[in-house]
Amino acid sequence: MNVFEVIKPTQDPKKENQVKKVNIAIFGHGLVGGTLINQILDSFEKIIKRRDIKLSVFAIANSKHIIFNKEGFDTNWRSDIETKGNHYTVFDVISYAKEHHLENLIAVDNTASSSFVENYIPLVENGFDLVSSNKIANTLSYSFYKEVRNVLEEKQKKYLYETNVGAGLPLIDTIKLLHLSGENITKIKGVFSGTLSYLFNNYSIQERSFSEILKEAIANGYTEPDPREDLCGNDVGRKLLVLARELDLQNEFDEINIENLIQEHLRGVTKEEFLNRLEELDEKYSTIKRNQKANHVLRYVGELSGDLQQDKGNLEVKLVSIPQNSALGQLQGSDSYFEIYTESYGDRPIVIQGAGAGSAVTARGVFGDILRLSDKG
């Protein structure tokens, strides 16, 4: 056989050279991270065909172990990390990328870790763009927030985090564009938590106890494993702070006025004990519901207000009673809802509403950020 007869390119070599390979390291492969990896694998061929971009996940890590493959992983990645995973630091990822001359690097943080965000600066300094569903980096001290952005500017790298607020809704991008265009944003208000949206949307109109609906939300996977992480209001507070900092406000997290929905005697018990004592929440919320005005419903609302042209704004997170026929009062399911008030639009806010929770929605939002970075020159 003539040796030249077996060399048959599967596609046009000229076309092959036009395909841009993007190398992705994914940290965190739980509900969001695992869904994201599968979305990337499922869309692999379509993205090559439609955008001339080859998305290659070269590293997958959890809090303890990592696996590498410079050619990218397939659908067996879960068993690979169980059987072939090794202990690591972020510098192992950086070294692997350098050793294999990987270009167009993106690090994706799908953890909820406060310690992992310390890796952002060394990743950027070593050639990685960043995508994150983890909102902690944007809500630590203002000095850290600025340090990350100074390094990004110095290294000419990008950091996208659309899913920090509103899962996959185009909220942060809208606020960024308005602010950069010189629009004076005067207030941002809304329901920031899909979990608490589900809880109060249902409790307000159903003749069931608060604990019963909370148990339903837990069973459906709407809450964190310890639902106090949702009920304490800190997650909503962080989301509000993310938006405040998009407006160049210098607020710190401890300056947010947050109403904790959990009675004090239940805050310090173990998770198991709290889950066994959910009925102790009922009397409080039954009283609140009963004492509302007629045709009113309960909503857990975040609001950014004040003179937003100054260094700091007023950030408040609280349970409110509002008319059922208002826009917020008509919210259903687990939707998030945001009103953006500006000088130009006056009393008629820009409204963004949609699915505010769920691993598939959040993963799709992270995927969108990856594609936006992949498209850059």
Side-chain angles (χ1 to χ4, degrees):
M1 179 185 292
N2 187 330
V3 69
F4 294 106
E5 292 178 359
V6 299
I7 304 175
K8 296 180 179 179
T10 56
Q11 63 183 68
D12 183 352
K14 185 177 179 182
K15 176 72 173 177
E16 173 100 354
N17 291 335
Q18 292 174 348
V19 174
K20 176 182 179 181
K21 185 179 181 184
V22 175
N23 292 286
I24 306 166
I26 295 181
F27 301 90
H29 57 81
L31 283 175
V32 173
T35 302
L36 172 66
I37 294 167
N38 291 332
Q39 287 177 352
I40 291 173
L41 293 175
D42 290 344
S43 304
F44 182 80
E45 295 294 341
K46 287 181 181 177
I47 292 172
I48 291 178
K49 184 177 179 181
R50 293 177 181 175
R51 308 177 82 138
D52 293 331
I53 292 171
K54 181 180 181 181
L55 297 180
S56 175
V57 179
F58 77 91
I60 300 173
N62 53 35
S63 60
K64 296 180 179 179
H65 298 106
I66 195 166
I67 48 176
F68 293 108
N69 188 334
K70 62 184 174 65
E71 301 302 330
F73 288 94
D74 59 22
T75 54
N76 295 317
W77 63 268
R78 284 194 186 276
S79 60
D80 287 345
I81 202 164
E82 287 181 11
T83 58
K84 303 174 185 177
N86 295 307
H87 290 282
Y88 76 102
T89 72
V90 74
F91 294 100
D92 295 318
V93 180
I94 292 166
S95 297
Y96 186 91
K98 288 182 176 178
E99 179 187 347
H100 293 91
H101 310 289
L102 302 182
E103 298 179 323
N104 305 314
L105 297 166
I106 300 176
V108 181
D109 178 9
N110 285 318
T111 74
S113 168
S114 56
S115 58
F116 183 80
V117 301
E118 296 170 7
N119 296 314
Y120 284 17
I121 289 174
L123 283 166
V124 172
E125 288 176 335
N126 287 278
F128 284 80
D129 290 299
L130 302 175
V131 172
S132 179
S133 62
N134 180 0
K135 63 186 74 67
I136 290 175
N138 285 324
T139 58
L140 292 176
S141 69
Y142 187 73
S143 60
F144 177 78
Y145 180 89
K146 291 301 291 184
E147 184 182 3
V148 170
R149 277 144 184 85
N150 289 339
V151 174
L152 288 163
E153 184 175 359
E154 178 189 341
K155 298 298 181 180
Q156 296 185 309
K157 292 297 173 183
K158 298 289 185 183
Y159 172 27
L160 300 185
Y161 43 89
E162 186 65 67
T163 54
N164 272 198
V165 188
L169 297 175
L171 176 67
I172 292 175
D173 216 31
T174 300
I175 289 170
K176 277 184 178 179
L177 288 171
L178 287 168
H179 186 58
L180 288 172
S181 70
E183 179 62 75
N184 181 16
I185 294 176
T186 57
K187 183 168 71 174
I188 300 173
K189 177 181 178 181
V191 171
F192 286 66
S193 167
T195 302
L196 298 179
S197 178
Y198 177 87
L199 191 55
F200 286 108
N201 292 349
N202 285 286
Y203 180 64
S204 292
I205 61 173
Q206 295 179 17
E207 294 301 322
R208 293 197 289 161
S209 68
F210 186 82
S211 61
E212 186 179 350
I213 294 175
L214 178 55
K215 288 176 183 177
E216 183 177 82
I218 295 168
N220 289 335
Y222 293 155
T223 70
E224 294 296 326
D226 186 341
R228 286 176 296 184
E229 294 180 32
D230 299 293
L231 295 168
C232 72
N234 287 348
D235 182 63
V236 175
R238 288 191 190 97
K239 292 174 181 178
L240 196 59
L241 184 57
V242 170
L243 300 187
R245 288 179 170 175
E246 290 302 320
L247 303 183
D248 298 320
L249 298 172
Q250 299 177 23
N251 290 86
E252 300 288 359
F253 182 78
D254 61 9
E255 296 172 331
I256 309 171
N257 185 8
I258 299 174
E259 180 181 350
N260 192 325
L261 297 173
I262 309 161
Q263 290 97 314
E264 197 164 343
H265 72 280
L266 292 172
R267 295 175 192 174
V269 302
T270 65
K271 181 183 82 171
E272 289 71 22
E273 187 175 350
F274 176 72
L275 292 174
N276 288 328
R277 296 171 63 180
L278 293 180
E279 285 77 9
E280 294 179 33
L281 297 165
D282 288 340
E283 184 178 351
K284 172 183 177 179
Y285 290 101
S286 176
T287 301
I288 292 172
K289 182 177 178 179
R290 187 171 57 248
N291 289 339
Q292 291 184 105
K293 294 178 182 178
N295 301 314
H296 275 54
V297 291
L298 298 172
R299 298 291 183 263
Y300 193 63
V301 171
E303 183 171 323
L304 169 61
S305 61
D307 185 351
L308 305 187
Q309 301 304 302
Q310 301 301 314
D311 289 342
K312 295 189 177 184
N314 301 320
L315 283 71
E316 188 171 22
V317 178
K318 61 184 178 180
L319 185 64
V320 299
S321 177
I322 58 174
Q324 188 171 1
N325 62 2
S326 65
L328 268 177
Q330 295 180 58
L331 203 59
Q332 296 181 353
S334 59
D335 275 8
S336 292
Y337 177 92
F338 306 95
E339 296 176 340
I340 306 168
Y341 291 84
T342 72
E343 202 168 67
S344 297
Y345 286 82
D347 293 333
R348 297 182 64 82
I350 299 167
V351 174
I352 297 175
Q353 178 180 349
S359 57
V361 171
T362 303
R364 188 62 65 183
V366 174
F367 198 175
D369 280 346
I370 291 171
L371 289 173
R372 288 163 67 195
L373 284 179
S374 301
D375 279 337
K376 77 174 189 177

